[in-house]
Amino acid sequence: MVKPPVLEIAGLEKRFGDTVVLKNINLKVREGELVFVIGPSGSGKSTMLRCCNRLEEPTSGAILVEDAKITDIARRDLDKMRMKVGMVFQGFHLYPHMSVLRNVMLAQIKALKRPKDEAETRARDMLERVGLSEKADAMPSDLSGGQQQRVAIARALALDPKVMLFDEPTSALDPELVGSVLKVMKDLRREGMTMLVVSHEMAFAREAADRVIFMDGGLVVEHGSPEQIFGDPQTDRLKAFLSRVSQGAE
């Protein structure tokens, strides 16, 4: 039995003035699936992700989370909808004046109206989940970049999202710190979290993804299993991209 999509993108287009950034994007991400998006810089990958929780307003098309059309939700109700769509950015966006624990508690208290004791219990559980339970009382400035990104993941998970979006989660990290973040993502994959990931971590895509989407020029040019995309690319654009990546040019 095919699982229903948790996230569906239908006919998505995005323009900035006269510039068309996304052109008729159609994508379904099913429950428990990890879909990986690759492509050159400027291909529209991050814009597509940001449209999925309306950090960018789509010009046209629809985005559905569990069959609720979030593109129709009034702006005043957006925060409630965004609880279903966890997002982890390239930057960590932690509050520097708050402890790690408080960073993970805050949105639960403000957005979900959880009591403080319940929010603290949930925050500690999520910090343990990302391997940082001993850092609960630390300040963000005391952490490495990889640790800060794992706190950001814990913060998103604490809101009980239906799908997690990752926008280049390792690109701001020193190479030796990347593995700790990818391990958390692999653990989430094994636990059945639904994920849509934009990243240049090709080895991770080969190992962990259910499907890989290749975007270029605002279009989905090719999609398939990791074996198909990396082992038997069908288009010249994908072949050229993979060649550049293998040479370290992307």
Side-chain angles (χ1 to χ4, degrees):
M1 180 179 175
V2 177
K3 292 183 177 179
V6 175
L7 173 67
E8 182 174 356
I9 302 170
L12 177 64
E13 298 203 357
K14 176 63 180 177
R15 296 172 181 265
F16 293 105
D18 294 331
T19 303
V20 182
V21 180
L22 297 173
K23 307 169 187 175
N24 193 31
I25 303 294
N26 295 280
L27 175 63
K28 294 180 180 180
V29 183
R30 301 191 182 278
E31 182 182 347
E33 194 175 32
L34 193 166
V35 176
F36 211 94
V37 186
I38 64 174
S41 297
S43 59
K45 309 183 300 295
S46 292
T47 300
M48 178 187 72
L49 229 57
R50 291 171 67 85
C51 285
C52 287
N53 64 0
R54 286 177 59 187
L55 288 174
E56 294 286 356
E57 286 290 344
T59 302
S60 62
I63 295 173
L64 298 92
V65 177
E66 293 189 317
D67 292 328
K69 191 178 289 188
I70 67 172
T71 36
D72 287 350
I73 292 173
R75 183 160 282 280
R76 67 180 180 274
D77 298 323
L78 270 180
D79 285 345
K80 192 172 184 179
M81 176 279 299
R82 284 176 175 146
M83 298 304 101
K84 293 186 175 185
V85 185
M87 188 154 187
V88 177
F89 300 89
Q90 176 178 339
F92 319 124
H93 302 301
L94 302 180
Y95 291 105
H97 61 288
M98 290 185 179
S99 69
V100 164
L101 184 66
R102 287 290 299 167
N103 264 280
V104 182
M105 290 174 60
L106 184 63
Q108 299 181 66
I109 295 168
K110 296 291 187 182
L112 295 184
K113 309 302 182 187
R114 277 184 180 153
K116 285 187 178 180
D117 57 347
E118 185 179 333
E120 179 175 346
T121 298
R122 178 69 174 164
R124 290 189 184 278
D125 287 346
M126 292 304 98
L127 287 171
E128 182 174 1
R129 192 173 180 182
V130 301
L132 289 174
S133 56
E134 79 284 359
K135 297 292 186 180
D137 296 323
M139 302 301 286
S141 58
D142 298 325
L143 306 182
S144 70
Q147 289 171 329
Q148 290 186 59
Q149 190 62 290
R150 284 149 63 195
V151 172
I153 294 172
R155 178 179 57 191
L157 291 172
L159 298 175
D160 306 317
K162 300 301 183 183
V163 58
M164 286 281 286
L165 311 178
F166 291 86
D167 187 10
E168 300 283 6
T170 61
S171 63
L173 303 180
D174 292 333
E176 67 269 21
L177 302 176
V178 168
S180 64
V181 174
L182 295 184
K183 180 184 182 302
V184 170
M185 295 172 69
K186 289 175 186 176
D187 290 344
L188 292 176
R189 165 80 174 80
R190 282 193 294 271
E191 293 165 13
M193 174 59 72
T194 307
M195 294 186 280
L196 182 60
V197 178
V198 168
S199 176
H200 288 290
E201 299 290 343
M202 299 299 163
F204 179 62
R206 285 174 179 266
E207 176 186 354
D210 293 293
R211 285 186 292 136
V212 179
I213 309 295
F214 170 62
M215 290 182 64
D216 194 13
L219 295 164
V220 173
V221 176
E222 211 168 319
H223 61 91
S225 68
E227 294 77 16
Q228 290 172 312
I229 293 298
F230 295 110
D232 188 24
Q234 299 297 303
T235 62
D236 290 340
R237 290 161 82 177
L238 178 53
K239 291 174 185 176
F241 172 75
L242 293 175
S243 176
R244 292 196 300 272
V245 167
S246 68
Q247 295 167 18
E250 284 289 346

